[in-house]
């Protein structure tokens, strides 16, 4: 057996890809190790969303490259969004890399791995995805209770700041039968949560030319699988959340009442500059529709501070939106110029670094404030949670869990285990989590 170590940066799609890469390589006698020092093959699965994430990839490669001196047979591979973007240029910066493979080439690995074992240097990047039935390969899942299922990959939206359409290509949906088969297998294996993934998950099916293939109908089909488990889906594009999807979330008891809908900016002019297909008012309407429909629902978002040309007043609209919409949590970032993108070329409109980072700090402060408010709303309520982790401390057993609405809940109990669903009465709220007591 040969040992494989994978370092995964970036989003959930990358986490899922890494599980599939480890699965494919397991057919070729590679077993995964958590100790990178004993690996025969090192893979870094990279993210290019911001410059900082791309830089991380190259600095890790630098550290690994030095190891080849003591271990000449060590193989190093890079994949993911930085690989797809930089192609053979990767080797100019990191000549010791044996294999560069893109986001479209994962299912070519059986051939690629043989080549590097024969000491060839390989760069496999295409713009045409190599598509295989994913159920023909092992998947080595890393999480204990949650299983990722990618259902649609790629993006057709071309938001002006974003590199994803260039690194993941156009939208491609997997066939519903293949997804449902994977879901059935996951539940049989004992997983308690399925998270359906897509850069724009609510675009699912649009490329398959069949009006019945939609995220809403896929949720209905997975909901019918026997067993106690729950279903999530991320990430939703605001204007693609149609009534049928909201109806499906309502009808399906296993689907969590939780929506991740990145707003990006609270100002309509900036949204237009970003090429987002909705106005501030339309986003407000979607949030209000969802809040009216579901009790205890949570809505989370992403925001960018300091997009090119953003004025102080326009930035303040973002702070206002976070507060007025009572968003339950937001991911925040300072705008980072990306290669190939439209906004990346608006150099004369870039916001000075110090102003950008000050805005990010204020955004984070507002985020903390509204998150705490959101958490406080749940004190006294009972939430159904799924236990994800367990830790013993001072003779007491502390459990980490997540409620259906994605809130993190901690409680003590020696009667429950990882994978159990428990009703917990919330006693205390902090900025990032809740504390409670299990009820019988
Ligand atoms: N498909 C999702 C987002 C995927 S990228 C959507 O449309 O909302 C994840 C997040 O990274 C984005 O929501 C955005 O907030 C952030 N992001 C993307 N490009 C960025 C950039 N150039 N600089 C800073 N943040 C960026
Ligand atoms: Fe990027 Fe926009 Fe596509 Fe999201 S919708 S992945 S932000 S281009
Ligand atoms: Fe990063 Fe690629 Fe995901 S750029 S966020 S790893 S799609």
């Amino acid at each position: 057996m040969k040992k494989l170590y994978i370092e995964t940066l970036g989003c959930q799609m990358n986490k899922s890809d890494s599980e599939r890469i480890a699965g494919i390589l397991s057919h070729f006698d590679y077993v995964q190790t958590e100790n990178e020092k004993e690996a025969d093959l090192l893979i870094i699965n990279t993210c290019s969303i911001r410059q900082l994430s791309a830089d991380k990839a190259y600095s890790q490669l630098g550290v690994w490259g030095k190891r080849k001196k003591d271990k000449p047979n060590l193989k190093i591979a890079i994949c993911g969004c930085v690989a797809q973007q930089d192609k053979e240029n990767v080797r100019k910066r990191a000549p010791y890399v044996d294999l560069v493979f893109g986001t479209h080439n994962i299912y070519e690995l059986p051939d690629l791995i043989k080549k590097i074992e024969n000491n060839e240097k390989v760069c496999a990047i295409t713009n045409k995805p190599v598509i295989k039935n994913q159920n023909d390969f092992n998947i080595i899942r890393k999480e204990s209770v949650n299983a990722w299922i990618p259902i649609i990959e790629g993006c057709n939206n071309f938001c002006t700041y974003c590199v994803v359409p260039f690194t993941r290509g156009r939208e491609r949906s997997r066939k519903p039968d293949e997804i449902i088969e994977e879901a059935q297998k996951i539940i049989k294996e004992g997983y308690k949560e399925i998270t359906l993934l897509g850069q724009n998950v609510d675009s699912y099916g649009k490329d398959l030319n069949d009006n019945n293939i939609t995220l809403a109908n896929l949720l209905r089909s997975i909901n019918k699988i026997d067993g106690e488990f729950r279903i999530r889906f991320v990430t939703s594009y605001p204007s693609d959340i149609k009534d049928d999807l909201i109806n499906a979330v309502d009808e399906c008891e296993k689907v969590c009442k939780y929506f991740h809908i990145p707003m990006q900016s609270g100002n309509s002019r900036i949204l237009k500059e970003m090429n987002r297909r909705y106005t501030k008012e339309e986003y407000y309407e979607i949030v209000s529709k969802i809040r009216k429909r579901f009790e205890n629902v949570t809505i989370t978002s992403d925001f960018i501070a300091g997009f090119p040309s953003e004025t102080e007043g326009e930035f303040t609209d973002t702070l206002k939106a976070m507060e007025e919409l009572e968003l339950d949590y937001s991911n925040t970032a300072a705008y980072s110029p990306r290669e190939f993108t439209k906004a990346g070329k608006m150099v004369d409109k870039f916001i000075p670094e110090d102003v950008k980072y000050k805005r990010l700090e204020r955004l984070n402060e507002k985020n903390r404030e509204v998150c705490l408010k959101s958490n406080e709303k749940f004190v006294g309520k009972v939430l159904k949670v799924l236990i994800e982790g367990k830790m013993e401390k001072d003779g007491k057993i502390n459990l980490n869990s997540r409620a259906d609405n994605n809130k993190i809940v901690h409680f003590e109990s020696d009667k429950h285990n990882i994978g159990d669903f428990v009703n917990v009465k919330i006693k205390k709220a902090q900025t990032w989590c809740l504390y409670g007591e299990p009820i019988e």
Side-chain angles (χ1 to χ4, degrees), residues 155-173:
C155 180
N156 298 351
N157 285 327
F158 290 91
C159 302
T160 55
Y161 51 82
C162 182
V163 79
V164 171
F166 304 95
T167 63
R168 291 276 171 178
R170 295 300 75 72
E171 285 171 2
R172 303 170 303 280
S173 302

Side-chain angles (χ1 to χ4, degrees), residues 265-274 276 278-282 314 317:
S265 164
N267 175 276
S268 295
R269 187 191 76 83
I270 292 292
L271 288 172
K272 196 150 182 245
E273 289 286 315
M274 288 175 161
R276 301 289 283 181
Y278 52 89
T279 59
K280 170 195 148 184
E281 288 74 21
E282 281 159 347
E314 288 165 339
D317 287 344

Side-chain angles (χ1 to χ4, degrees), residues 63-244:
V63 173
W64 286 355
K66 290 198 188 103
R67 298 237 173 97
K68 280 199 165 179
K69 278 197 196 109
D70 305 325
K71 204 172 174 181
N73 289 329
L74 176 68
K75 302 287 180 213
I76 300 176
I78 168 171
C79 62
C81 291
V82 174
Q84 184 73 31
Q85 187 180 338
D86 290 357
K87 304 185 175 63
E88 42 291 307
N89 288 336
V90 167
R91 214 170 277 122
K92 285 192 192 134
R93 283 182 70 175
Y96 36 79
V97 166
D98 297 278
L99 170 63
V100 184
F101 64 103
T103 53
H104 297 340
N105 305 78
I106 290 176
Y107 287 90
E108 248 182 288
L109 267 178
D111 291 334
L112 303 177
I113 211 72
K114 278 180 215 146
K115 286 189 182 162
I116 62 163
E117 285 181 348
N118 286 327
N119 296 322
E120 273 182 59
K121 296 258 185 185
V122 186
C123 177
I125 310 279
T126 46
N127 291 324
K128 208 173 158 277
V130 177
I131 297 176
K132 296 265 170 77
N133 183 337
Q134 301 191 15
N135 296 335
D136 292 343
F137 297 90
N138 294 338
I139 300 167
I140 314 266
R141 298 191 191 271
K142 290 301 259 183
E143 298 194 9
S144 59
V145 294
N146 172 62
W148 311 110
I149 307 187
I151 64 166
I152 174 170
E153 192 185 339
C155 180
N156 298 351
N157 285 327
F158 290 91
C159 302
T160 55
Y161 51 82
C162 182
V163 79
V164 171
F166 304 95
T167 63
R168 291 276 171 178
R170 295 300 75 72
E171 285 171 2
R172 303 170 303 280
S173 302
R174 284 172 75 193
K175 299 209 176 71
D177 294 350
E178 191 188 315
I179 297 167
I180 293 162
E181 189 188 324
E182 187 175 331
Q184 283 163 334
K185 201 163 155 228
I186 286 166
I187 301 309
K188 261 200 209 121
E189 285 169 8
Y191 288 91
K192 300 290 177 187
E193 183 176 86
I194 288 176
T195 305
L196 305 178
L197 294 180
Q199 272 83 31
N200 298 292
V201 76
D202 41 9
S203 280
Y204 175 70
K206 278 186 191 166
D207 55 319
L208 295 179
N209 302 320
D210 175 345
N211 291 340
N212 288 318
I213 305 180
T214 59
L215 175 60
N217 285 341
L218 186 66
L219 291 174
R220 292 183 176 109
S221 303
I222 299 177
N223 191 61
K224 283 191 200 126
I225 300 174
D226 280 339
E228 192 183 28
F229 66 97
R230 64 190 188 186
I231 310 164
R232 297 187 187 284
F233 56 92
V234 279
T235 297
S236 303
Y237 189 92
S239 42
D240 288 330
I241 300 188
K242 305 285 187 224
D243 287 348
D244 191 38

Side-chain angles (χ1 to χ4, degrees), residues 13 52 95 110 127 184 227 251 254 285 305 348 366 402 406:
M13 191 65 94
L52 206 68
N127 291 324
Q184 283 163 334
E251 283 159 37
K254 289 173 181 145
E285 270 166 39
D348 53 332
K366 183 56 76 186
R402 210 174 273 268
N406 214 34

